Amino acid sequence: MLTALSIRDVVLIEALDLDFGAGLGVLTGETGAGKSILLDALGLVLGARGDSGLVRHGSAQAVVTASFDIPAADGPIAALLGDNGLSIEPGEPLMIRRLVKADGGSRAFVNDQPASAGLLRELGAMLVEIHGQHDDRGLLNPRGHRALLDAFARADAGAVSAAWREWRAAVARLEEARAAQAVAERDREWLAHAVAELTTLAPEAGEEERLAERRATMQRGERVAGELTAVADLLDGSDGALSRLRQAARILERAGEAHPALVDALAAIDRAIVEGAGAQDQVDVAADALAFDPAVLEADEARLFELRGVARKHRVQPDELPALSEELAQRLALVEGGEAGLAGLTRAADAAEARYVAAAKALSATRAEAAGRLDAGVAAELAPLKLDAARFRTTVAPLPREQWGADGSDRVEFEVSTNPGAPFAPLMKIASGGELSRFILAMKVALAEEGGARTLVFDEIDRGVGGAVASAIGDRLARLSTRNQVLVVTHSPQVAARGRRHYRIAKSSDGTVTRTGVTPLGPDERREEIARMLSGAEVTPEARAQAERLLAA
């Protein structure tokens, strides 16, 4: 609900602050007083084009600020704000401010945070509907008719939406599997050859490193084999160093008593024998470790060459060959068993489609039944609004399969025929300005304002009518205002008398500057304004009495 509107330097409005409330608010004034300026200012905060021509002459910029109470802090408006990085606390008003500069350009703010004009338009569509002679939104936009009919029917479109998402997900899985199957089928011969090759090769994790290390060890042994044999012969051969040391030790054992020095010499030779034997043992250990079989070395080198060659062919590291073998085997299995898998996914997609079609048909039936009730409801409102020759219908027609969606399989559009025998057509194409506003009012009343903005603005809906028709318009506006905030710009005293709040728009001039102002009226002022609307320039006692009767009624 619109709670306040502040305007600074917009055309003839220098400074204006208005408070609004629930129910029906009426705005009256003489022709040319500036009612359109007020609506233009409201349009700015709702995302209309920021024309620099709206800036008051001599001012640097025009500023319009609107305050709204929104129904819930977790509703669609709050969700839209959240999607745009904005937030609103429970109970906090929604403040929209728009600045338009005299030299061009504009800026917008939502709760003092910068916002785009596009966001203002989205918010505006949720907050306010302005219905005038050139309106092309709200009830006149066929894109919103389906949602309005669903709200009127209390239809559960959520089941259709859920079935649609399930169907599309099943189709996506099927298409993905088909694409994978097509790729795999194309590569089937190559896959079979590669899997056979890798299966025969049977690579193992870490195998290359183990083979490379063993080959390097055997290659080192091959290089030093002769040296190790020569060392062994020098140390422990029949004429080797250890054999001669042992011979010397036996001689010294026999001659050792001849001199103490010989005992020391024998001890030194014994130590040399022990050290030499230890050296011989280490040489033997090394020889064993470095021992190689030329056939084994040749086999290892061949295996390494084969592993590395296959790895290069598949552009992977040798250690990645086992994983590649498993992956290619799975792909080959997909090709060989793919038809069965595709058949299962096809059955799942067909079943999901059947569920969607059933839900969409049920929704279509609900829409068709509700369309009949809506048509009857609108028809009942037409005659009192001097549209008794007009006919209204809600068209519910099947969409082509390619246009089915989360909202169902129907096209919904409101159509009218304004004269007997005339064909039905979209409302905005065949109705005049006054008829258009009255058609919208009839539909709003019949729809009980389902699914629309909570603030409705009607611009001169009573143009060209009077008497009983104007009274009927006022009655229906009052009925609408029990559920919504309704603001109406009117020249009809019958409509003005039904308002809960009354604002007079007037233009004044001091000889050099012309200004437009808006004044909330009290009871006496209101009676005087309605009397003026009844009698014209000179307010007569009869006009005041008639105004009194209208207000009392």
Side-chain angles (χ1 to χ4, degrees), residues 182-316:
V183 172
E185 199 61 60
R186 187 183 62 220
D187 297 335
R188 180 172 192 156
E189 183 177 347
W190 177 85
L191 279 172
H193 171 76
V195 169
E197 180 183 46
L198 288 169
T199 300
T200 302
L201 182 64
E204 299 176 0
E207 182 180 10
E208 186 211 18
E209 184 179 354
R210 292 195 303 273
L211 287 172
E213 179 60 32
R214 190 165 69 182
R215 183 187 66 166
T217 299
M218 287 193 289
Q219 287 174 336
R220 289 194 298 272
E222 184 180 26
R223 288 195 302 270
V224 300
E227 285 83 351
L228 292 179
T229 300
V231 170
D233 289 343
L234 288 172
L235 286 175
D236 202 28
S238 58
D239 197 28
L242 287 176
S243 177
R244 294 193 175 198
L245 284 173
R246 290 187 186 100
Q247 292 176 11
R250 287 194 294 271
I251 295 171
L252 286 176
E253 285 177 355
R254 293 196 298 270
E257 296 178 357
H259 194 279
L262 295 177
V263 175
D264 293 338
L266 177 60
I269 288 174
D270 286 340
R271 289 195 298 273
I273 291 171
V274 171
E275 290 296 329
Q280 178 62 51
D281 291 341
Q282 294 303 312
V283 171
D284 292 342
V285 170
D288 290 340
L290 295 172
F292 71 96
D293 183 338
V296 173
L297 177 59
E298 184 179 352
D300 284 355
E301 287 181 334
R303 178 68 174 176
L304 273 172
F305 179 80
E306 189 175 15
L307 285 171
R308 290 171 176 171
V310 172
R312 281 194 301 273
K313 184 166 68 173
H314 291 286
R315 298 181 181 179
V316 298

Side-chain angles (χ1 to χ4, degrees), residues 83-134:
D83 291 343
N84 286 272
L86 305 172
S87 62
I88 187 167
E89 296 297 325
E92 179 184 349
L94 177 65
M95 303 285 293
I96 302 177
R97 180 160 52 99
R98 186 82 180 275
L99 288 74
V100 179
K101 297 181 179 179
D103 56 359
S106 69
R107 298 174 64 193
F109 300 86
V110 175
N111 284 1
D112 291 327
Q113 300 174 71
S116 65
L119 174 59
L120 261 59
R121 283 191 290 274
E122 289 188 74
L123 285 171
M126 295 180 177
L127 293 166
V128 180
E129 287 184 20
I130 299 179
H131 297 292
Q133 294 191 54
H134 306 290

